[in-house]
Amino acid sequence: MLGSTNLSAAETPAGAEPAADTSDDSTMEWLIEKRHDWSDRFHSMAASIDEYFAGEDSLGLENKSYVRLRLGARWEEGERVGEDTDLKVRIDLPITKKRWKLFIENQLDEFEDFDSRNRADLIRPESRDDSFYGGISGEKETENWQLRPELGVKLRFPVDLFTRFRATRPIEIEGPWEGQFRQSVYYFHQEGFGARSRLSFQRPWGDQFLWRTSSEAEWQDEGEEFNLAQVFGLNHILNEDQALAYEVGLLGERDPSLKLSSYYANVRFRQRLHEDWLFFDVIPGVSWPRDKDFDSVVSLTARVEILFSKGL
C-alpha cells in the first residue's frame, strides 16, 4: 500500500516465481491442506452473500475477501514477553459496484492505536477493538478523486451507528516519484467526530529498492486528541523470497500544545515460507519515548502471518 513501510505479498518483485516447496514434512502438508480448506469455505461464504444481495452475476467477478492472521510475540526492554497477535477480516462484495456495496469488517482504522498504525513492529492487542462492523458503501470516481461514502453499524452490543467519508487523490509528479493524498472524516454515535489526513510519496531505486515517506495527522473529538506522525522507509528486496524494510519515524501529540511523544527506528526482515500466503517476520527495533525521558528502549518482535483468500 502506498505510503506504508509494511511489506506484503503484493510487494514481491514483479515476475518473481515462488520457491518450489519440496518439503515432505507432514506438519507443513497439514497446514497447507487446512489453509486451503478454510480459504475455500470463507470465499464461498462471501460469494453466497453476493448472490443473496445481487443475484448470480457475482460468480464471474473477482472476490477480494480475505482473512489475515498474525501470530507472534514481542519483547521490550524492561517488560515481559507479550502477545503480538491479531486477526483482520474483510468481506468485499464486488457484485454491487454499479450500486451500493455491502461491507463487513473488523478492526476499523478509526479505532486502531495511532502508534501501531504507523509502526511495523507494534500491534498492541490490548488497545485493539475486535468488534465487527457492517453497512453499505458507495464509490464514485471523478477526474482527480476517488470518493467513498459509508453508513454502517457496530454488530455488537452496545450498537453504535456510524458514517464516514473517504477521499483519495493521486499526486502526479514528474520523474519516478508518485504520491497520494487521503482524507477521512467520520462520525460514531458513541465516540463522536474524527478526521484523518495522510500524504504519501514513494520512489523506486533500481530493481531492489523503494523509498517511501508518509505524513499523517489525526483528530478525534473524544478527548480532544490530535496526533501527528512522520515516517521514512526503505524497502530492500533481497531475493524472490526475502526482503528488508528499514523504517524511522517521529510521533507527536497535542497535550495541550504540540510536542514530540517518541521517535523510533526498526528493521523488518520478511521471509516467504510458502507461495504468497505464509510469511515469517523478525523486527528488531529501538524507540525513545517521552514517558521514559527519551531513554532508549530496545525491542524484538517475531510473528507468522497467514493469509486466507481464494486467490492466493
Side-chain angles (χ1 to χ4, degrees), residues 17-242:
E17 294 294 333
D21 182 21
T22 58
S23 173
D24 293 328
D25 187 83
S26 58
T27 302
M28 174 59 75
E29 292 179 357
W30 178 87
L31 175 61
I32 293 173
E33 179 181 353
K34 291 300 181 182
R35 182 265 173 193
H36 288 325
D37 179 53
W38 280 105
S39 292
D40 290 342
R41 293 184 187 182
F42 182 77
H43 183 270
S44 297
M45 178 191 71
S48 297
I49 297 176
D50 282 354
E51 290 184 45
Y52 181 83
F53 283 95
E56 298 180 357
D57 294 340
S58 64
L59 296 179
L61 297 179
E62 179 184 5
N63 192 295
K64 298 180 180 179
S65 302
Y66 72 88
V67 175
R68 184 195 67 198
L69 175 63
R70 295 190 295 188
L71 304 170
R74 172 181 168 84
W75 168 83
E76 189 172 281
E77 186 178 3
E79 303 288 341
R80 295 182 178 180
V81 176
E83 178 189 1
D84 187 69
T85 298
D86 77 336
L87 176 68
K88 174 68 175 177
V89 178
R90 171 187 171 187
I91 298 180
D92 187 27
L93 307 175
I95 43 87
T96 53
K97 280 188 175 178
K98 294 183 179 180
R99 293 169 270 173
W100 287 84
K101 295 194 303 182
L102 174 70
F103 70 89
I104 301 174
E105 63 179 304
N106 72 336
Q107 294 189 28
L108 298 187
D109 292 343
E110 288 76 13
F111 293 122
E112 186 176 3
D113 179 76
F114 185 79
D115 291 4
S116 300
R117 190 165 64 242
N118 286 281
R119 290 180 56 176
D121 63 330
L122 198 58
I123 290 182
R124 287 184 176 170
E126 71 278 359
S127 64
R128 187 179 57 233
D129 176 24
D130 288 326
S131 301
F132 277 84
Y133 297 80
I136 56 174
S137 68
E139 189 170 301
K140 178 177 177 59
E141 292 189 10
T142 67
E143 182 178 355
N144 297 313
W145 292 89
Q146 182 183 60
L147 308 175
R148 186 176 180 180
E150 295 181 341
L151 178 66
V153 62
K154 180 179 180 180
L155 304 177
R156 180 179 177 181
F157 186 81
V159 173
D160 190 9
L161 297 174
F162 72 92
T163 181
R164 60 185 175 184
F165 179 81
R166 299 177 178 180
T168 304
R169 177 184 178 132
I171 300 175
E172 297 183 0
I173 308 174
E174 293 185 2
W177 285 93
E178 59 181 15
Q180 185 183 80
F181 174 72
R182 296 180 180 179
Q183 179 65 53
S184 173
V185 180
Y186 53 89
Y187 172 77
F188 287 78
H189 181 67
Q190 295 181 7
E191 306 293 338
F193 289 95
R196 182 153 50 96
S197 303
R198 186 180 183 92
L199 181 63
S200 307
F201 296 95
Q202 68 179 25
R203 181 191 192 281
W205 281 351
D207 297 330
Q208 291 183 296
F209 295 94
L210 180 69
W211 164 259
R212 292 179 163 182
T213 178
S214 66
S215 306
E216 181 172 338
E218 178 186 67
W219 169 80
Q220 292 183 342
D221 183 36
E222 185 182 33
E224 298 183 351
E225 293 186 15
F226 184 73
N227 300 302
L228 295 169
Q230 179 63 55
V231 180
F232 301 96
L234 180 67
N235 288 1
H236 179 194
I237 304 301
L238 301 177
N239 54 53
E240 62 185 19
D241 290 319
Q242 297 178 332

Side-chain angles (χ1 to χ4, degrees), residues 212-282:
R212 292 179 163 182
T213 178
S214 66
S215 306
E216 181 172 338
E218 178 186 67
W219 169 80
Q220 292 183 342
D221 183 36
E222 185 182 33
E224 298 183 351
E225 293 186 15
F226 184 73
N227 300 302
L228 295 169
Q230 179 63 55
V231 180
F232 301 96
L234 180 67
N235 288 1
H236 179 194
I237 304 301
L238 301 177
N239 54 53
E240 62 185 19
D241 290 319
Q242 297 178 332
L244 291 169
Y246 313 93
E247 181 181 271
V248 295
L250 299 93
L251 304 174
E253 61 183 355
R254 186 180 65 186
D255 185 28
S257 59
L258 288 176
K259 63 182 181 182
L260 180 68
S261 57
S262 69
Y263 54 100
Y264 67 91
N266 60 61
V267 179
R268 180 180 184 181
F269 170 77
R270 163 155 283 204
Q271 170 71 52
R272 177 166 55 185
L273 299 179
H274 187 75
E275 296 182 352
D276 283 336
W277 58 266
L278 183 60
F279 300 89
F280 176 68
D281 292 340
V282 177

